[in-house]
C-alpha cells in the first residue's frame, strides 16, 4: 500500500551506529549540509519518527553518525558529485548504470562538456514572479515536482525562532476546501483557539514576572484550549492534502526546512500533474493553519528527542551559539522559549511576509512538456499576486572569483569588514572570538569524546566555496581520501570527516572538520598517547597534522583527477533520478542565479588546479581561523 510521508529538516538524530569511513553526519539542532546534506525527520499521521542524515553506518554502539535517510532529497553538487556523495545518493550501493556516452566518458576520465540534459531544459517566469523550470524526460509516465521556497530559518526574527520549520508543517494542513468537513463552522473555532492561547500566554507571562493569583486561571484556560481543540478536530479531515495525492498514485510527498530554504516535493503519474498543480497552488494561495497547537506539541516532542535527549544535542546547540555571530547560530527547530510563544498570528505574519510568488521556484522533471506546464501554471498560479507588500528575497549570483567581487582574495584576517565575507554579509565570527577571549568550547556529552574544528569561510556559492568542496573530497571523500586512509583505516581515529557547508551554504559559516578518537581498537595508538590516548585533543592533533600537510604540500595530481572524475560520474549517475534533477535545478536556480549553475560548477571543478586549492587551504585551515569544540566523555 502506498504511503505518504513528509520530512522536516531541522535536525538529524544520533543513529544506533558506529561511524564508518564516510562523510560526517551531524545531528540535532542544525540542518547540517555539505552542499546539501539533508538531515530530515519523517512524520506521518502517526507522529514523529526518527530521522536520519547522510552516510553509511554499521552495527555497534551509538557514537556520531545517524543512519541514511532515503527520503531526504538529493540537491546541489555535494549530494550529486564526489565519491562520498555518490555513496550518499545510493549510487555506490549498486552498479552505476551507464546510459549515455557522457557517462562512459566520465568514468573513463575523458572530458565531455555536454551532460546531456542542458539543451532540453526550458524555463519561464509568470508575471507575478513565480519561476518554472521544466526538464522533459519521456522514459516513463511519471513526473517529479519540486517547489523551492527561498526562505528558511535565517529569515526569522529574534524571539520567533522555529517559525520556518513550523510553517513547513502547517503547509500540509489544507485550505478552506481541503481538510475540513465544514469550514464555516470550523473557522470560528480556530479563532476561539487563538484567543484562548494568547490569553493563556499572557497569564503565564504575568506569573513569570512575579504576579500572583494566576494558577487557577492557567488551569481553566488550558482546559478551554483542549476542549476547543477537540471541537475543531471533529470538523477536520486529517492528512487530506496527502491523501488526495496518494489516491492518485503520488509517492514521496515530503518537505524539508533548513536555514537557507524550505522545499516541498513529490512524484506522481504524469497524467496527474494537473491535480498536483491545483493542490500545490491552493495550499500556498489559501492556507488554513488548522491543528496548529497540536502540531506544536509534535514538534516539541521532536525537540526533546533530537536536542534534549540526544547524545550530542545540547553540545551542538551550544557550539553553534558560541562559535557563530550570524543567524546560523540559531537552531532551525527554534529555541524552546521562542517556540512556546508562537501562535497563529505569528505564523500568518511570517507567511504574509515571505511566501509570495517571487520567492518560489518550481521544477518539474519527467513525462511532461514545457507547453503543458506553462498552461497549467497560468491556470492555477497566474492570478496569485501574493500577500500585499511581501518581501522579495534576493537570489544568488553566478559563481564569482571572490565573494566580495573582483577585489582581493578572501581572507578571514582581512580588514575589509563585511565586504570580505560577501556583499551585504556580516562577519560570522563572534566578538569574543575576535578578541581572543573565547576560541573553544568544552563540555561533556554522552556521545563523547570527539572534536569539532570549525574553520570560518565565505558563502559556499562563491568560487572559493567550490574549492572547499574539492578539498573536502580530497580529505574525506571515500576510502582513498586522506583522513580515511591515514587516520581511520590505520586505526588512529574511529571516524573523521569534513562538512564544508556548516550549518548552511548561502551565507558565511564554517567548514567543519570532525573526528572521533579510537577508544582501544589500536594498541599502538593507545600506547603512544597514554594516559590520554582517547581524548579529543588526540583527535585534534591527528586532524590538524593532516590539514597542515594539505596546506603545506598541496593536492597531488592523482588526488585531483580522482575527485574530478568522481564528481562527473556522480552527477551523471544521480541525474537518472527525476526527483534528484528537479531538486538540483530548483536549488541551483535560487542559489547561483540559474539552473545552469549545476553544470557550471562541475565545469569549474574540472578547471581547478593544485595551486588554487593550496591557496584556499592555507587561508582557511589556519589555527587563528578556528573555533574548536571539545566533546568530553559524558
Amino acid at each position: 500500500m502506498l504511503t505518504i510521508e513528509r520530512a522536516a529538516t531541522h535536525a538529524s538524530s544520533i543513529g544506533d551506529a558506529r561511524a564508518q569511513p564516510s562523510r560526517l553526519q551531524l545531528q540535532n539542532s542544525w540542518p547540517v549540509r555539505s552542499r546539501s546534506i539533508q538531515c530530515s525527520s519523517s512524520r506521518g499521521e502517526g507522529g514523529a519518527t526518527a530521522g536520519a542524515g547522510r552516510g553509511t553506518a554499521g552495527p555497534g554502539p551509538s557514537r556520531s553518525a545517524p543512519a541514511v535517510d532515503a527520503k531526504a532529497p538529493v540537491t546541489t553538487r555535494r549530494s550529486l558529485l564526489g565519491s562520498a556523495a555518490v555513496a550518499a545518493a545510493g549510487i555506490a550501493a549498486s552498479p552505476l548504470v551507464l546510459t549515455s556516452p557522457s557517462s562512459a566518458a566520465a568514468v573513463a576520465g575523458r572530458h565531455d562538456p555536454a551532460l546531456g540534459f542542458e539543451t532540453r531544459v526550458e524555463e519561464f517566469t509568470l508575471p507575478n514572479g513565480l519561476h518554472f523550470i521544466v526538464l522533459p524526460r519521456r522514459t516513463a509516465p511519471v513526473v517529479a515536482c519540486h517547489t523551492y521556497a527561498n526562505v528558511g530559518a535565517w529569515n526569522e526574527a529574534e524571539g520567533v525562532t522555529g517559525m520556518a520549520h513550523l510553517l513547513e508543517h502547517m503547509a500540509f494542513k489544507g485550505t478552506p476546501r481541503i481538510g475540513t468537513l465544514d469550514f464555516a463552522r470550523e473557522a470560528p473555532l480556530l479563532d476561539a483557539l487563538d484567543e484562548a492561547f494568547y490569553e493563556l500566554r499572557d497569564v503565564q507571562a504575568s506569573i513569570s514576572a512575579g504576579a500572583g493569583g494566576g494558577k487557577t486561571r492557567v488551569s481553566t484556560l488550558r482546559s478551554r484550549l483542549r476542549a476547543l481543540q477537540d471541537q475543531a478536530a471533529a470538523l477536520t479531515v486529517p492528512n487530506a492534502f496527502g491523501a488526495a495525492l496518494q489516491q492518485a498514485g503520488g509517492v514521496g510527498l515530503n518537505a524539508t526546512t533548513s536555514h537557507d530554504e524550505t522545499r516541498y516535493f513529490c512524484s506522481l503519474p504524469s497524467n496527474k500533474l494537473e491535480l498536483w498543480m491545483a493542490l500545490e497552488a491552493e495550499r500556498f494561495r489559501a492556507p488554513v493553519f488548522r491543528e496548529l497547537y497540536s502540531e506544536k506539541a509534535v514538534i516539541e516532542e521532536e525537540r526533546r528527542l533530537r536536542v534534549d535527549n540526544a547524545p550530542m544535542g545540547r553540545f551542538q546547540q551550544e557550539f553553534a551559539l558560541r562559535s557563530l555571530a550570524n543567524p546560523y547560530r540559531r537552531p532551525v527547530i527554534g529555541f524552546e522559549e521562542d517556540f512556546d510563544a508562537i501562535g497563529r498570528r505569528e505564523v500568518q505574519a511570517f507567511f504574509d511576509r515571505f511566501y509570495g510568488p517571487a520567492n518560489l521556484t518550481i521544477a518539474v522533471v519527467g513525462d511532461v512538456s514545457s507547453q503543458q506546464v506553462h498552461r497549467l501554471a497560468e491556470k492555477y498560479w497566474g492570478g496569485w499576486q501574493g500577500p500585499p507588500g511581501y518581501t522579495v528575497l534576493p537570489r544568488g549570483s553566478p559563481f564569482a572569483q571572490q565573494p566580495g567581487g573582483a577585489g582581493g582574495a578572501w581572507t578571514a584576517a582581512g580588514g575589509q569588514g563585511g565586504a570580505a565575507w560577501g556583499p551585504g554579509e556580516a562577519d560570522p565570527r563572534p566578538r569574543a572570538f575576535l578578541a581572543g577571549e573565547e576560541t573553544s568550547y568544552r563540555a561533556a556529552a554522552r556521545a563523547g569524546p570527539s572534536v569539532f574544528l570549525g574553520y570560518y569561510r565565505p558563502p559556499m556559492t562563491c568560487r572559493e566555496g567550490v574549492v572547499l568542496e574539492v578539498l573536502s573530497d580530497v580529505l574525506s571523500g571515500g576510502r582513498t581520501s586522506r583522513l580515511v586512509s591515514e587516520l581511520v583505516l590505520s586505526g588512529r581515529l574511529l571516524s573523521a570527516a569534513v562538512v564544508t557547508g556548516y550549518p548552511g551554504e548561502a551565507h558565511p559559516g564554517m567548514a567543519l572538520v570532525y573526528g572521533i578518537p579510537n577508544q582501544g581498537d589500536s594498541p599502538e595508538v593507545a600506547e603512544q598517547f597514554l594516559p590520554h590516548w582517547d581524548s579529543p585533543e588526540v583527535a585534534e592533533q591527528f586532524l590538524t597534522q593532516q590539514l597542515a600537510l594539505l596546506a603545506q604540500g598541496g593536492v597531488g595530481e592523482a588526488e585531483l583527477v580522482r575527485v574530478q572524475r568522481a564528481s562527473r560520474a556522480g552527477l551523471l549517475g544521480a541525474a537518472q533520478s527525476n526527483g534528484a534533477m528537479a531538486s538540483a535545478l530548483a536549488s541551483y536556480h535560487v542559489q547561483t542565479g540559474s539552473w545552469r549553475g549545476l553544470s557550471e560548477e562541475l565545469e569549474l571543478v574540472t578547471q581547478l588546479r593544485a595551486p588554487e586549492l593550496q591557496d584556499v587551504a592555507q587561508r582557511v585551515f589556519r589555527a587563528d581561523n578556528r573555533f574548536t569544540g571539545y566533546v568530553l566523555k559524558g
Side-chain angles (χ1 to χ4, degrees):
M1 186 173 75
L2 294 175
T3 58
I4 296 290
E5 296 177 271
R6 66 188 186 79
T9 299
H10 60 77
S12 63
S13 62
I14 291 288
D16 294 328
R18 177 171 297 191
Q20 299 295 310
S22 65
R23 191 79 59 186
L24 168 66
Q25 318 280 311
L26 289 176
Q27 46 76 41
N28 293 311
S29 54
W30 300 317
V32 181
R33 305 193 310 143
S34 179
R35 220 55 180 145
S36 283
I37 297 175
Q38 293 302 320
C39 304
S40 304
S41 63
S42 298
R43 192 189 63 81
E45 286 184 82
T49 60
R54 194 195 81 182
T56 58
S62 173
R63 287 301 310 278
S64 70
V68 175
D69 181 7
K71 302 177 188 66
V74 178
T75 64
T76 59
R77 193 190 71 87
R78 172 53 59 210
S79 295
L80 294 170
L81 312 181
S83 52
V86 174
I91 298 165
S94 59
L96 179 63
V97 179
L98 303 179
T99 59
S100 69
S102 296
S103 301
V107 174
R110 302 192 304 273
H111 179 66
D112 183 352
L115 292 174
F117 68 86
E118 296 97 333
T119 58
R120 292 184 287 116
V121 174
E122 300 182 57
E123 59 186 325
F124 60 88
T125 303
L126 297 180
N128 59 14
L130 178 55
H131 192 78
F132 282 81
I133 305 170
V134 184
L135 174 56
R137 301 174 109 174
R138 303 296 186 177
T139 55
V142 294
V143 63
C145 305
H146 191 107
T147 301
Y148 186 112
N150 187 24
V151 56
W154 176 278
N155 305 105
E156 295 167 349
E158 290 291 342
V160 286
T161 57
M163 181 66 73
H165 173 228
L166 174 60
L167 185 53
E168 173 244 301
H169 276 238
M170 300 312 298
F172 291 81
K173 297 302 182 181
T175 71
R177 299 192 302 169
I178 302 169
T180 183
L181 296 174
D182 187 342
F183 187 65
R185 292 170 55 201
E186 182 190 22
L189 290 172
L190 297 179
D191 292 337
L193 269 168
D194 293 338
E195 293 176 5
F197 169 79
Y198 287 111
E199 186 175 353
L200 175 60
R201 189 181 71 175
D202 292 344
V203 171
Q204 290 175 322
S206 298
I207 293 174
S208 298
K215 292 184 178 181
T216 301
R217 184 59 178 160
V218 166
S219 178
T220 300
L221 287 170
R222 283 177 175 167
S223 297
R224 181 184 172 196
L225 196 63
R226 285 192 295 268
L228 288 168
Q229 284 179 308
D230 291 341
Q231 294 176 49
L235 297 172
T236 298
V237 180
N239 197 33
F241 181 88
L245 290 169
Q246 177 184 11
Q247 292 165 9
V251 295
L253 178 64
N254 278 272
T256 64
T257 305
S258 76
H259 285 92
D260 298 331
E261 77 276 320
T262 308
R263 292 174 293 146
Y264 306 85
F265 44 91
C266 78
S267 297
L268 69 165
S270 55
N271 63 355
K272 300 299 181 181
L273 176 62
E274 183 165 9
L275 172 65
W276 174 84
M277 194 76 78
L279 291 172
E280 191 77 352
E282 184 159 337
R283 72 162 159 175
F284 287 112
R285 296 184 65 166
V288 172
F289 303 129
R290 57 173 59 91
E291 301 180 289
L292 172 65
Y293 303 107
S294 58
E295 194 69 21
K296 283 182 61 180
V298 172
I299 296 175
E300 287 165 353
E301 180 58 32
E302 291 179 4
R303 183 205 318 283
R304 286 188 285 272
L305 173 67
R306 304 175 186 283
V307 179
D308 300 340
N309 299 325
M312 288 279 283
R314 286 294 181 186
F315 182 92
Q316 289 194 21
Q317 182 166 294
E318 191 64 26
F319 179 84
L321 285 170
R322 292 171 180 264
S323 63
L324 292 164
N326 61 22
Y328 279 155
R329 68 193 297 268
R330 305 180 309 215
V332 173
I333 200 170
F335 294 116
E336 185 174 4
E337 59 274 19
D338 294 347
F339 191 75
D340 288 346
I342 292 176
R344 199 157 61 118
R345 296 172 192 167
E346 288 77 20
V347 175
Q348 187 69 56
F350 188 85
F351 179 89
D352 289 344
R353 183 177 180 186
F354 296 114
Y355 270 79
N359 288 332
L360 299 182
T361 297
I362 295 178
V364 181
V365 178
D367 186 20
V368 296
S369 68
S370 178
Q371 294 77 12
Q372 177 188 9
V373 174
H374 202 157
R375 176 179 60 81
L376 295 175
E378 289 281 5
K379 179 177 180 179
Y380 292 104
W381 297 91
W384 181 42
Q385 299 305 315
Y390 77 90
T391 301
V392 178
L393 295 170
R395 294 175 176 174
S397 56
F399 293 108
Q401 179 70 34
Q402 306 298 338
W410 171 85
T411 170
Q416 304 176 52
W421 299 95
E425 299 286 0
D427 194 328
R429 300 169 297 178
R431 293 181 180 178
F433 176 87
L434 294 172
E437 299 169 357
E438 186 176 37
T439 59
S440 65
Y441 171 60
R442 184 184 299 266
R446 297 198 306 276
S450 60
V451 67
F452 292 46
L453 308 180
Y455 293 91
Y456 297 101
R457 48 87 185 149
M460 293 302 296
T461 51
C462 68
R463 182 184 180 94
E464 285 166 323
V466 179
V467 175
L468 280 171
E469 296 288 6
V470 173
L471 291 173
S472 172
D473 274 336
V474 169
L475 287 168
S476 61
R479 294 176 64 87
T480 59
S481 63
R482 295 190 181 192
L483 298 187
V484 175
S485 62
E486 295 295 326
L487 301 182
V488 178
L489 297 181
S490 67
R492 291 180 174 87
L493 294 181
L494 182 64
S495 179
V498 181
V499 175
T500 51
Y502 192 83
E505 301 177 352
H507 305 280
M510 284 182 166
L512 193 73
V513 184
Y514 178 84
I516 301 175
N518 199 332
Q519 298 188 358
D521 294 337
S522 174
E524 177 184 351
V525 174
E527 181 178 354
Q528 180 181 358
F529 289 99
L530 282 172
H532 303 297
W533 57 271
D534 63 345
S535 70
E537 285 81 4
V538 170
E540 176 188 23
Q541 179 178 334
F542 283 137
L543 292 172
T544 54
Q545 286 173 351
Q546 290 297 318
L547 294 173
L549 289 173
L550 178 66
Q552 295 167 10
V555 176
E557 182 66 23
E559 291 178 302
L560 181 55
V561 170
R562 173 183 65 82
V563 171
Q564 291 170 335
R565 290 181 179 179
S567 295
R568 189 172 185 81
L571 174 59
L572 289 166
Q576 297 177 53
S577 162
N578 287 347
M581 284 305 299
S583 177
L585 291 172
S587 298
Y588 269 88
H589 178 76
V590 177
Q591 294 178 7
T592 70
S594 170
W595 61 266
R596 294 177 180 82
L598 177 60
S599 53
E600 290 171 357
E601 183 174 349
L602 181 59
E603 184 63 24
L604 177 56
V605 170
T606 65
Q607 295 172 358
L608 293 177
R609 295 296 178 262
E612 183 174 2
L613 296 172
Q614 184 176 8
D615 175 62
V616 172
Q618 290 174 347
R619 287 187 280 121
V620 174
F621 298 125
R622 304 193 327 264
D624 63 349
N625 188 45
R626 180 177 75 228
F627 190 99
T628 306
Y630 298 99
V631 188
L632 310 178
K633 286 184 178 180

